[in-house]
Amino acid sequence: MSAARSLPSVPFPRLTPAHHQALRARLRAVVRNASPAEPSLEKTGADRGGEIGPFWELEPTPLVLPAGEWAQLEAGLRQRARLVNAFLFDAYGGQLVLREGLLPPEIVLNDPYYRRACLELEPERKFPAMLLCFDLIKTAAGWQVTGTHTNSPTGLGIAVQNRRFLSHEAGEIYRTLPDHHSIINFPLRLLDALKQLAPRTATDRAGGPAIVLLTAGPHDPFYAEHSFLARKMGLPLVQGDDLLVFENRVYFKTIAGLEPVDVIYRRLNDAHIDPVVFSTDHETMGVPGLLQCIRRRSVVVANAIGSGLAENRALEAYLPRLIRFFLGEKPILPGVPTYTCGDTDQLDFILDAAETFRLRPAHDPRLGDQALHRAAPSLLSPHGLAREVRENPFGYVAQKKLSPLPLQPGTKHSPPFRLSAYVLVQGQDCRVMPGGLVRLGHGEPWPDRVGLTADVIVLQSGTASHGGEAVDRPMPAALPEPSAPSTALGSRTAENLFWLGRYLERAETTARMISILDDVALEEIPARDRRRWLPVWQGLLEATGHAETQRVTLRTRPHEAFSPETARRMAFDPDHASSIYSSVRLAADNARRLRDHLSPEAWLLLPGLVAALDAARRKSIPRRHAETENVTARTVTRVLVDLNAFLGTAERTMLHDAAWYFLRLGAHLERAIMTCSALRHALGANGGSPAGDREAPELSALLRMLGSQDAYRRLYQTHSQPRFIADLLLRQGAAPRSLYHNLANSLNRLRAIRGAQPDPTAAELAVQELLSALRALNLDPFFPSAEESAGASSDPKPSPLGGFLADLLGRLNALHSLLSDHYFSHQARVSAEAQSELGL
């Protein structure tokens, strides 16, 4: 690789300081929105033993590599990938490398990532590591490999997103570069490779093999990357408890039942993959019984369990002999000079030149293991060799201290860089992604963080090659196109979508309610009319979940029921589950778990709204009523705009399949419950006496708060009257807030979700019964004529309509249990396809 020193560098176009600063600010914003970190990942430098910076940053200036230099790198990376797979195949098979004495047995057998349960687990699988990542640095002597990642390599999705962000934010600069390779669709090549891993029994199935991406869940630091890759490849993103082993097969818990799984692309440390076999403190992360399914050839996992063995740094000390033994070649790409502390001759050499080496564990501590980070011990102690090294000499290596080159040689304060390059292995074919992820700064990157990164631009040439093979040769032929796309939707995902719809609807209704309060207060309602308002307010407060907090005020001090302080609490109270603040945060939390289903355009609206609510809540601490009212009013307006923008964007960008139906189903049910609750108090509190010719401002406010005043005027062309309001909000199928409209839409969604299954679910039958009750409803008995009212007693009596609406409300609330029992909580329903495969 020394020839790389003479290759000309291709600089990225220079940016003025002002342009660079502006671009960096824009990139910081888009990266923050793309990967909001868990609070546990935002610890201060003091908490983490030093200043480490944000979770993920993107430097505007990329690394640009000429085609010739990349061709040499590519050849070395391919060789490394072939070596790793040959070594893993042997280590879990015949173990000739140990029998021939090429490696000390301790390096393999004492390795914490050597999985004895995987010995001869897949004897015919010659390429257990499908996706590999190699870390490289460039020194004055050329490129050198510093690390290998085969367990569950991270960063591929980050690299693709870096390119997307930069080409969008700095498109005018990228267009000035010579022709360069694209990496945007590399995840689709990964998808093709996953399809080819499927067991033979799955390749002929209609729709193709069933593939899932297994993640540890939203608390994994790289969950945003997992979500991005799942969405890019169109795969279900699952957690361990979304999968179930039954009759030696892995099944995915979906809304249609248990669907068989053929391939698992794991982004989960194999220490937690099967709690039946491997001891772990995180049993819910993995899939109990998975190894038995692998042994029965009913499922394939990528990368294979036990692949982490190849990450042992001690292997670098034996690199030439391993390449010669397995490949019959000489190393193309050298590694960092490495010496094992378990070899006494090498240890003497290390001790004689200790100042030129740094001691490192053979394996970096992993996220989820007993210790996230542990500093390597000093090589020497006052009593000789350090105790940790004496007790486990093969667990430590000494590596030569190197001086990596900066990203921009000759530029003041340019940081050194490390390149993470990705190799995809499909049988004998190895494809290197023409780019990668650059990490900037001194020292090793934290394994639970992305850190400061940069893009990698690889310039094109005609047919740069190594060994006669064109760099851009096509991959092997893909599997036949599936006859029908897979639309399996996980039960957990469906429930998150359902609650996302409910929380959004709750926040939007509460915001609209508060927005009307200012207008109502300005109407200066006479004291004699205030009592007329109480049922309306009580119904709306109950509908939005605030009835208990205002019950005493409504009863004893109705004139104080809707003060600015009341509005402030309804908007910003973090301890109230139905406040706007809480509802939006809960919606955003559900949306964060659904990023494989939501488009970035829709997703980005919710974190921005949460940040705006946080800022407004701090400003709304009551000091002066006018100040509080202004903050509340501005916040309510922002909420109404952003939530409707989110729903509009989601409608235009989401696939209108079962996922979209569950999102809308939650909104329809929440809206129906709120409308019914509001009507129960507003129209059922008294005998239903007509308003006559009187304009009832309290009923007009009810219509406005339910977003139905314009619909009412168009249909009835008169002032607000109880009977017409009941007709509009109970029976009008065209009115978006009516019970009939929302139940009819719910029924349509449920039927679409059921698909070709012949038998309606209990939830469908319950909705059909509610619609039948509304169609048969005769409102005349509930609303007497003016003559009947004149002859009636002057004492107000409870209306029979109140009882009808109370019963209706109870049946609406019961729908959630029916949905949960059938779609969200089932454990044993096996789909027809799975039954056929099992012979049931």
Side-chain angles (χ1 to χ4, degrees), residues 666-699:
H668 287 311
L669 180 58
E670 186 74 14
R671 186 177 295 181
I673 289 173
M674 288 186 167
T675 298
C676 188
S677 180
L679 291 179
R680 184 168 75 95
H681 289 276
L683 301 184
N686 52 50
S689 57
D693 294 330
R694 176 181 71 85
E695 175 63 41
E698 70 278 8
L699 296 182

Side-chain angles (χ1 to χ4, degrees), residues 313-314 316-318 335-340 346 357 397-400:
R313 291 190 178 102
E316 201 69 37
Y318 302 90
V336 178
T338 302
Y339 303 90
T340 62
Q346 292 188 17
F357 292 100
V397 299
Q399 292 189 323
K400 198 81 170 178

Side-chain angles (χ1 to χ4, degrees), residues 382-423:
H383 306 289
L385 202 62
R387 179 178 58 84
E388 294 91 337
V389 180
R390 291 199 310 272
E391 292 176 352
N392 182 24
F394 284 98
Y396 293 91
V397 299
Q399 292 189 323
K400 198 81 170 178
K401 294 179 181 178
L402 299 176
S403 299
L405 297 178
L407 181 64
Q408 294 178 286
T411 303
K412 189 176 181 180
H413 304 307
S414 180
F417 71 92
R418 295 174 183 272
L419 169 63
S420 293
Y422 299 89
V423 185

Side-chain angles (χ1 to χ4, degrees), residues 321-391:
R321 69 171 70 173
L322 290 175
I323 291 180
R324 187 167 55 252
F325 178 77
F326 286 114
L327 306 179
E329 302 172 4
K330 294 181 179 181
I332 299 174
L333 195 57
V336 178
T338 302
Y339 303 90
T340 62
C341 294
D343 186 314
T344 54
D345 293 333
Q346 292 188 17
L347 182 60
D348 290 339
F349 174 71
I350 295 169
L351 294 173
D352 289 340
E355 69 281 354
T356 64
F357 292 100
R358 61 180 183 136
L359 192 67
R360 306 184 71 186
H363 279 281
D364 280 327
R366 297 296 185 82
L367 190 67
D369 289 344
Q370 292 181 351
L372 180 62
H373 292 290
R374 184 179 63 185
S378 300
L379 186 59
L380 297 175
S381 72
H383 306 289
L385 202 62
R387 179 178 58 84
E388 294 91 337
V389 180
R390 291 199 310 272
E391 292 176 352

Side-chain angles (χ1 to χ4, degrees), residues 377-561:
S378 300
L379 186 59
L380 297 175
S381 72
H383 306 289
L385 202 62
R387 179 178 58 84
E388 294 91 337
V389 180
R390 291 199 310 272
E391 292 176 352
N392 182 24
F394 284 98
Y396 293 91
V397 299
Q399 292 189 323
K400 198 81 170 178
K401 294 179 181 178
L402 299 176
S403 299
L405 297 178
L407 181 64
Q408 294 178 286
T411 303
K412 189 176 181 180
H413 304 307
S414 180
F417 71 92
R418 295 174 183 272
L419 169 63
S420 293
Y422 299 89
V423 185
L424 189 58
V425 178
Q426 288 181 262
Q428 296 293 337
D429 189 85
C430 297
R431 177 171 287 272
V432 183
M433 186 173 79
L437 179 67
V438 164
R439 299 195 187 206
L440 302 173
H442 298 273
E444 292 292 322
W446 291 72
D448 64 334
R449 309 185 71 79
V450 181
L452 181 59
T453 65
D455 188 17
V456 185
I457 301 293
V458 176
L459 302 183
Q460 290 189 7
S461 67
T463 55
S465 63
H466 174 73
E469 292 183 281
V471 172
D472 293 323
R473 68 187 186 281
M475 299 290 277
L479 294 174
E481 287 295 322
S483 57
S486 173
T487 56
L489 180 67
S491 297
R492 176 183 53 82
T493 299
E495 186 170 19
N496 286 335
L497 285 158
F498 176 80
W499 277 107
L500 174 61
R502 293 198 68 171
Y503 288 132
L504 292 172
E505 186 67 27
R506 187 176 303 171
E508 198 262 352
T509 302
T510 304
R512 184 184 292 108
M513 178 179 174
I514 296 174
S515 71
I516 306 301
L517 289 179
D518 287 340
D519 294 344
V520 169
L522 293 174
E523 291 174 0
E524 298 183 0
I525 308 165
R528 64 179 181 276
D529 290 336
R530 284 177 185 159
R531 290 288 172 182
R532 295 181 181 274
W533 289 81
L534 295 186
V536 175
W537 298 134
Q538 188 173 352
L540 289 168
L541 286 169
E542 180 181 283
T544 54
H546 294 86
E548 286 298 326
T549 59
Q550 293 296 309
R551 194 175 301 281
V552 175
T553 304
L554 283 168
R555 188 185 307 117
T556 61
R557 302 186 305 278
H559 59 286
E560 298 178 5

